[in-house]
Amino acid sequence: MDVYNLTTVTHFILIGLSDLPEVCYPLFMVFVIIYQITLLGNGAILLAIMTERKLQTPMYYLLANLSLLDILCPSTTVPKLLKNLLTEDHSISFVGCALQLYFLVGLVGTEVFLLAVMAYDRYVAICLPLRYSLIMTKARCVQLLFGTWAAGFLNSFLHTMSTFSLSFCNSNRVNQYYCDIPPVVALSCSSTYVEEMLILVVGGILGVGAFLTTLISYIYIVSTILKIQSVEGKQKAFSTCASHLLVVFLFYGTAIFTYIIPFSSQYSPARDRLISMLYAVITPMLNPIIYSLRNTEVKGALRKVFHLRVCSQKA
């Protein structure tokens, strides 16, 4: 390509669902409701953990971080999505796109590592119950949490710098409703070899490592539960990790829909954008529902929070 034909991209156009205008207004109402439920549900769990002394343990510190991520992650994409659904201006500045990608990839990466740490926490609680208080101390929990956030955002920094150091020319139309690595890299008119290798090597090692930690932890957990003689003991042991297991299935299921299915032969760009849009906002909404329905301690703390709120309003 002639170097003089290159144009400097100063902004990107987020296609979103611009090719399906008939669903924009109904989707706007749906996403407003889902986003509000997400903020209220995860905010309530954060408040319950902060105010209920019984929940101030490593397990619930990890859950509090998951709720925080479930507030921050959709907040990087949903406000812009709502604006785009109502207006014809779907543009985002070059810097704005880079920042959105950085925070989105950082938060999603942090959640991947956090789910692995939560799986390890449940492994220690079920497989090594007598040593749990010695292994999962508050100091160890803080160290693990710092490591998850640091690893998530360091990984994101590497990808963001590599992605936006590419040359962009001709098209600036991002085939998604937010800035993500694959659709942005696809617009590059320079070699994407380094970025592709970075995704495969760095993303692969960290992502596969976190997934294997989660998988191996649950293999040991299931093996330990099956060795318990009494039915009541099995149910009690399973109840301590059932909520997290559902969240893990939900998270990795959405990843498959978003990043693997698009490479199938029956790929439809509009359908893929709609699926990723729905799953990106539905997953953070469902996580607090899963934990509040299946965890009696969280349910009890939430009742106290709402009871105190109602009493204070009556007073």
Side-chain angles (χ1 to χ4, degrees), residues 187-201:
L187 300 178
S188 174
C189 52
S190 59
S191 174
T192 59
Y193 177 79
V194 174
E195 174 58 21
E196 290 171 359
M197 287 299 102
L198 196 66
I199 293 172
L200 287 173
V201 177

Side-chain angles (χ1 to χ4, degrees), residues 73 76 98-108 153 156 160:
C73 203
T76 62
L99 287 172
Q100 187 183 62
L101 186 146
Y102 171 71
F103 283 106
L104 182 63
V105 174
L107 292 166
V108 171
F153 278 90
S156 179
T160 304

Side-chain angles (χ1 to χ4, degrees), residues 2-302:
D2 188 350
V3 69
Y4 295 105
N5 288 335
L6 299 179
T7 57
T8 302
V9 171
T10 58
H11 68 281
F12 294 97
I13 305 296
L14 301 174
I15 295 177
L17 294 176
S18 57
D19 50 351
L20 295 173
E22 65 276 6
V23 302
C24 286
Y25 289 109
L27 279 178
F28 176 83
M29 297 305 300
V30 170
F31 288 131
V32 165
I33 294 170
I34 291 175
Y35 187 50
Q36 289 179 334
I37 293 172
T38 300
L39 296 181
L40 289 172
N42 287 289
I45 286 184
L46 277 172
L47 185 61
I49 292 172
M50 287 189 293
T51 56
E52 181 60 49
R53 187 177 295 274
K54 188 167 61 174
L55 297 185
Q56 293 176 5
T57 62
M59 172 185 170
Y60 291 107
Y61 290 150
L62 298 175
L63 176 58
N65 276 262
L66 180 64
S67 293
L68 180 60
L69 285 168
D70 285 338
I71 289 173
L72 295 176
C73 203
S75 296
T76 62
T77 58
V78 172
K80 179 64 176 173
L81 162 66
L82 294 176
K83 176 180 176 292
N84 289 352
L85 287 172
L86 287 184
T87 66
E88 294 183 359
D89 180 18
H90 296 173
S91 66
I92 183 171
S93 68
F94 188 91
V95 174
C97 185
L99 287 172
Q100 187 183 62
L101 186 146
Y102 171 71
F103 283 106
L104 182 63
V105 174
L107 292 166
V108 171
T110 301
E111 187 162 349
V112 170
F113 301 133
L114 181 63
L115 290 175
V117 172
M118 293 176 78
Y120 173 74
D121 173 75
R122 293 301 81 206
Y123 158 75
V124 177
I126 293 173
C127 301
L128 307 168
L130 299 179
R131 297 175 59 191
Y132 181 79
S133 60
L134 296 175
I135 297 173
M136 290 302 294
T137 61
K138 288 185 178 181
R140 178 68 55 79
C141 183
V142 170
Q143 291 171 351
L144 289 170
L145 286 172
F146 177 79
T148 60
W149 285 85
F153 278 90
L154 177 60
N155 176 55
S156 179
F157 178 77
L158 294 173
H159 286 300
T160 304
M161 292 299 293
S162 176
T163 298
F164 287 91
S165 64
L166 298 171
S167 298
F168 298 97
C169 54
N170 298 329
S171 178
N172 64 344
R173 296 171 63 82
V174 178
N175 191 27
Q176 190 51 277
Y177 72 94
Y178 58 88
C179 290
D180 197 7
I181 295 171
V184 173
V185 169
L187 300 178
S188 174
C189 52
S190 59
S191 174
T192 59
Y193 177 79
V194 174
E195 174 58 21
E196 290 171 359
M197 287 299 102
L198 196 66
I199 293 172
L200 287 173
V201 177
V202 178
I205 291 173
L206 295 177
V208 171
F211 174 75
L212 287 177
T213 300
T214 304
L215 179 64
I216 293 170
S217 294
Y218 272 102
I219 289 174
Y220 278 105
I221 288 170
V222 171
S223 176
T224 301
I225 291 175
L226 292 176
K227 292 176 183 177
I228 299 174
Q229 299 297 321
S230 66
V231 175
E232 184 181 349
K234 287 181 179 178
Q235 290 177 341
K236 185 178 179 180
F238 183 72
S239 66
T240 64
C241 63
S243 298
H244 179 255
L245 191 57
L246 283 173
V247 169
V248 168
F249 276 120
L250 193 61
F251 180 85
Y252 282 104
T254 60
I256 291 171
F257 269 96
T258 304
Y259 293 105
I260 297 178
I261 285 183
F263 293 101
S264 67
S265 59
Q266 298 180 345
Y267 168 56
S268 166
R271 186 186 63 187
D272 171 60
R273 291 196 298 272
L274 180 59
I275 289 173
S276 65
M277 194 180 290
L278 289 170
Y279 276 100
V281 293
I282 287 176
T283 303
M285 179 191 72
L286 290 179
N287 286 350
I289 296 173
I290 291 170
Y291 273 98
S292 61
L293 288 178
R294 297 198 61 87
N295 191 302
T296 55
E297 291 181 328
V298 172
K299 280 194 288 188
L302 287 173

